[in-house]
Amino acid sequence: MKTALWLYMFLFLAFFDLHAQYPVLTPFAISLGAAPTFIGWMMGIYALTHLPGNLIAGNLIDRHGSRRYIIFSLTAAGVILLLQAHVQLPWQLLALRSISGFVLAFLSPACLALLASLSRDPVTQGKYMSGHGVVHTLASVLSPAAGAFIVANAGFSGTFQSLGWLLIFTGFMAFFSLPKRLSATAANKENALASKEEKPARLPFSLRLYLIPFAIACSQGILFFEIPLRESGKASIMSTGILFSVISLGALVTLSMLFLNRYAPHVRVALGVLGLAICFYALAAADHVPIMVILFSLGLAKGLLFPALSSLFIELSGGGRLGKVFSLQSIAMSLGSFVGPIAAGQFRTIVSPYFIAFLMLMTVLLLLPKRNREAPSTVISPL
């Protein structure tokens, strides 16, 4: 439990730092002279460079544990933000964002694998995942508005420098606080138990599972691309930060309902995807509904969905090779985050990007495999 608390604190600082950039990056790119299409590629390249990091991270985390990769991601990302404070041309921002995408690709799988390895009990693991979601959401509630406030008072350069030093400080805290023995051996112990007790069954529909994080990340990338483009100027940065915080407040509500962990993960995933789809349809077509109401509802769906998705992958993996499992999940999300903003930038003059997100989520919902009740212990291979 002590390790989980330390990890939650590091995750809060890291997520606070990263989410504070969301309302800032698009106006900053525009101030450098970037066009909307370039901004789409800038956001997409960050996700694309996640892929090599995710591919490398899976086996390395299973082999060496999570600790060193958490420290590396936090510290390296902080250094990149310090360099980002001195950017003067759009291509420089694109290059730094691409490097940032690679180094941060290790953070999420390492943190999730470490949390999941703290217990073999599915209910306890579900609580750890919910705690991860609560910390993530608390940070994302405060950080967008905080990032906008810092920009209004310190400018873009001061904001990136402040966030960069915060990440570096968090990396040093992780170095002195995360236990070496647990992070290096827990995953191997879990893998050995899983290999002795369970053998993965390669079912035909296993690849469908990775369409879920892909579609979620794609729709979220569209949202993060579209909202900052609603207006311009410093007032827009502040209002954008508030809108992102409204989403996080909605997610915090459902994340706080710990009794939801008692329900099957596949049921919660299905309801969360359906809720997201309805919200994106409302963003595309329901002009009479206040945007804050829609975004708060979208946050409710996210708060239900993300812990359930992690629990679903733990359940279907049998608790073994968690580094690889969450690495593959991160790869799917990276691809979605790459496709989403680029599609929004290319097709927003033809069709509402929100409607594209709605169609994608509904398609994934229809393809969602049913739970095999006759063999609840069946383990589905990621590939």
Side-chain angles (χ1 to χ4, degrees), residues 20-350:
Q21 299 180 59
Y22 285 151
V24 177
L25 282 173
T26 296
F28 179 55
I30 292 175
S31 71
L32 297 176
T37 302
F38 179 88
I39 295 172
W41 279 100
M42 178 196 71
M43 298 178 69
I45 200 68
Y46 173 86
L48 182 63
T49 54
H50 256 54
L51 291 177
N54 291 147
L55 290 169
I56 297 171
N59 291 328
L60 290 179
I61 291 169
D62 285 332
R63 186 181 305 168
H64 304 293
S66 300
R67 180 178 180 271
R68 65 185 66 183
Y69 301 106
I70 293 173
I71 296 169
F72 164 74
S73 290
L74 293 172
T75 308
V79 173
I80 292 169
L81 274 176
L82 294 181
L83 296 175
Q84 193 169 298
H86 303 286
V87 163
Q88 296 181 349
L89 298 173
W91 70 265
Q92 296 173 338
L93 180 61
L94 182 68
L96 288 176
R97 290 293 293 169
S98 64
I99 299 173
S100 180
F102 175 79
V103 300
L104 285 171
F106 294 83
L107 183 61
S108 181
C111 290
L112 290 173
L114 180 56
L115 278 175
S117 68
L118 296 178
S119 174
R120 291 280 290 176
D121 179 60
V123 176
T124 304
Q125 287 177 332
K127 290 181 179 179
Y128 282 138
M129 293 303 142
S130 294
H132 172 272
V134 169
V135 170
H136 190 166
T137 304
L138 280 173
S140 60
V141 167
L142 302 173
S143 56
F149 177 80
I150 296 173
V151 168
N153 291 273
F156 293 117
S157 179
T159 299
F160 292 135
Q161 289 187 38
S162 301
L163 298 177
W165 283 117
L166 178 61
L167 272 182
I168 293 173
F169 174 72
T170 307
F172 277 106
M173 289 182 65
F175 178 80
F176 291 108
S177 302
L178 287 180
K180 297 180 181 179
R181 182 172 299 177
L182 175 64
S183 62
T185 62
N188 292 334
K189 183 178 179 181
E190 298 297 320
N191 294 342
L193 288 172
S195 62
K196 291 179 180 179
E197 297 174 0
E198 303 178 38
K199 293 183 179 180
R202 295 184 180 273
L203 300 183
F205 55 75
S206 59
L207 284 176
R208 297 186 192 179
L209 295 170
Y210 290 92
L211 292 176
I212 305 170
F214 172 83
I216 294 169
C218 187
S219 61
Q220 187 167 264
I222 290 173
L223 186 70
F224 290 159
F225 176 85
E226 283 293 315
I227 287 183
L229 291 178
R230 294 172 67 248
E231 300 174 9
S232 60
K234 289 188 176 181
S236 172
I237 299 176
M238 185 63 70
S239 65
T240 299
I242 293 173
L243 290 178
F244 281 130
S245 294
V246 167
I247 298 173
S248 301
L249 282 172
L252 185 61
V253 172
T254 43
L255 284 169
S256 301
M257 300 177 182
L258 297 180
F259 66 89
L260 293 175
N261 293 317
R262 301 175 184 174
Y263 297 95
H266 76 283
V267 173
R268 289 181 282 149
V269 168
L271 291 176
V273 172
L274 177 61
L276 282 181
I278 293 173
C279 290
F280 276 100
Y281 182 84
L283 286 171
D287 295 333
H288 59 284
V289 180
I291 188 171
M292 284 198 174
V293 173
I294 298 175
L295 294 180
F296 184 81
S297 301
L298 190 147
L300 292 174
K302 284 182 61 179
L304 175 65
L305 178 58
F306 279 102
L309 187 61
S310 297
S311 297
L312 180 64
F313 277 88
I314 294 172
E315 177 184 290
L316 297 178
S317 70
R321 300 186 64 81
L322 293 173
K324 183 177 181 181
V325 169
F326 288 119
S327 177
L328 289 169
Q329 179 184 343
S330 295
I331 288 172
M333 298 196 74
S334 297
L335 285 171
S337 298
F338 172 70
V339 172
I342 291 178
Q346 295 293 330
F347 299 111
R348 67 193 309 265
T349 57
I350 302 173

